[in-house]
Structure formats: C-alpha cells, structure tokens
Amino acid sequence: MGSTTANTDTMQPFDPFSQSFTLLAADGTPFNVSMSDVNDYVSYGGRILVNYSSQIGASAILLVVLLLLTKREKRRSPIFILNSISLALNTIRSILQCLYFTGPFYGFYAYFASDYTRVPKAQYGVSIAGVVLTFLLLVCIEISLILQMRVVCVTSPKLQRFWITMTSAVVALLALGFRLALL
C-alpha cells in the first residue's frame, strides 16, 4: 500500500484538455491530433464563417442601398458600375467561401489528414471560383479607386494629375501582382 501511494505522488496530474488522439491516414499510417489543434480548427472555422456571413449581409444591403439611392443619371458612370460590380462580386465570393468552410474541404478528417480524395469535383469549382472572384474583386476596387482619385484631383494641374494617376496605377498593379502571385 505504501508503494502505490509513493507512485501516485510522483505522477503528474492528468490534464484532459492537453491530450491527443491518434487517427489513421488513408494508407494506415497513424498520426496524432491534439485537443488544442481541434480547438483551433473549430474556432477558426467559426470566426471565418462569421466574417464571411457579415460580408454577405453588408455587401448585399449596400448594393441595394446604392441601387436605390443613386440618381438615374449617375448610374451610367464608371465609378457607380465598378462599385456595384464590386459589391455583387463580394456577395457571391463570400457565399462561395461559406460553402467552402461548410463543405467537404473543411471536413475534420480531410483537414487533419490532408486527404481530399472524397471531395467532389463540384467543390473544387466552388473553391476555384472563390479565389478567382477575390482577384476580380480586387481589380474592380483598384480601378474604382483610381477613377475616384481622378475625380478628387480634377482641379489639379494636368501634369500633376497625370503623375498622381500613374503612381496610383503602379500601386494598384503591385497589389494585383501580389494577389495574382498568391493564386
């Protein structure tokens, strides 16, 4: 009896929140997943879905407000058209991102085992469309910002307006280039 008491005194207390469990990959190879990994996985999915869901609502409402409150003669302006397209693209892109994070790509086993063999081809299309729409959204936003900058600088001298436009275009192209590199 004395030996079991001494043995339990030297043991570390068990923390169920720091344990890990073993899963098997498709080839039977075991790998461990910790509880903190699972918590991070669930937390990230929840946070990202809240983010995209709020973008859906905000973009859709802003698009409706933009369409209802803009005078007819202003609706043909390039800035109005680009801003409307940007809001529509962001709404669709956010819906596609929500579909990604609630679909088989973000499934527990697929994520931790990096095994996407059971992901349907249609889900690849959703994922690719989300990435492409993000790039197109950035293109629309950058062009709209350049046009808005030109409106603000309409009273500036012609040479100054030219260089401001060129500088803005270079910055926009750099941003687009970095985004394109991420594709």
Side-chain angles (χ1 to χ4, degrees):
M1 183 142 170
S3 64
T4 55
T5 306
N7 195 14
T8 56
D9 289 341
T10 60
M11 289 181 53
Q12 294 291 330
F14 174 69
D15 182 9
F17 293 98
S18 65
Q19 64 183 319
S20 63
F21 54 94
T22 302
L23 294 174
L24 298 177
D27 64 356
T29 307
F31 64 94
N32 289 332
V33 178
S34 70
M35 291 303 288
S36 65
D37 291 339
V38 173
N39 287 334
D40 291 344
Y41 166 80
V42 171
S43 177
Y44 178 75
R47 285 193 317 262
I48 203 79
L49 283 169
V50 166
N51 181 334
Y52 286 126
S53 298
S54 62
Q55 285 185 47
I56 292 168
S59 296
I61 288 172
L62 282 173
L63 180 59
V64 170
V65 168
L66 182 67
L67 293 173
L68 291 176
L69 296 182
T70 303
K71 297 176 185 174
R72 285 197 184 274
E73 59 271 7
K74 298 275 187 180
R75 289 187 183 171
R76 293 181 188 228
S77 74
I79 293 173
F80 172 82
I81 293 168
L82 285 168
N83 288 344
S84 298
I85 291 171
S86 294
L87 289 168
L89 285 175
N90 194 50
T91 302
I92 296 166
R93 176 191 73 95
S94 296
I95 290 169
L96 293 174
Q97 295 295 358
C98 284
L99 290 174
Y100 173 86
F101 280 97
T102 57
F105 267 116
Y106 201 68
F108 183 84
Y109 179 78
Y111 177 82
F112 283 104
S114 297
D115 182 0
Y116 301 105
T117 55
R118 293 194 181 177
V119 175
K121 291 195 186 298
Q123 287 297 317
Y124 282 92
V126 167
S127 177
I128 292 168
V131 172
V132 170
L133 286 178
T134 300
F135 180 75
L136 293 176
L137 174 63
L138 183 61
V139 169
C140 288
I141 290 171
E142 294 292 344
I143 293 171
S144 176
L145 288 172
I146 291 171
L147 291 175
Q148 290 175 53
M149 182 275 318
R150 290 200 40 90
V151 169
V152 170
C153 294
V154 74
T155 59
S156 299
K158 193 173 187 175
L159 184 62
Q160 185 179 10
R161 194 171 52 232
F162 171 79
W163 285 112
I164 291 172
T165 302
M166 287 298 113
T167 303
S168 299
V170 167
V171 170
L173 289 172
L174 281 171
L176 291 171
F178 281 116
R179 174 51 81 175
L180 194 59
L182 287 175
L183 294 179

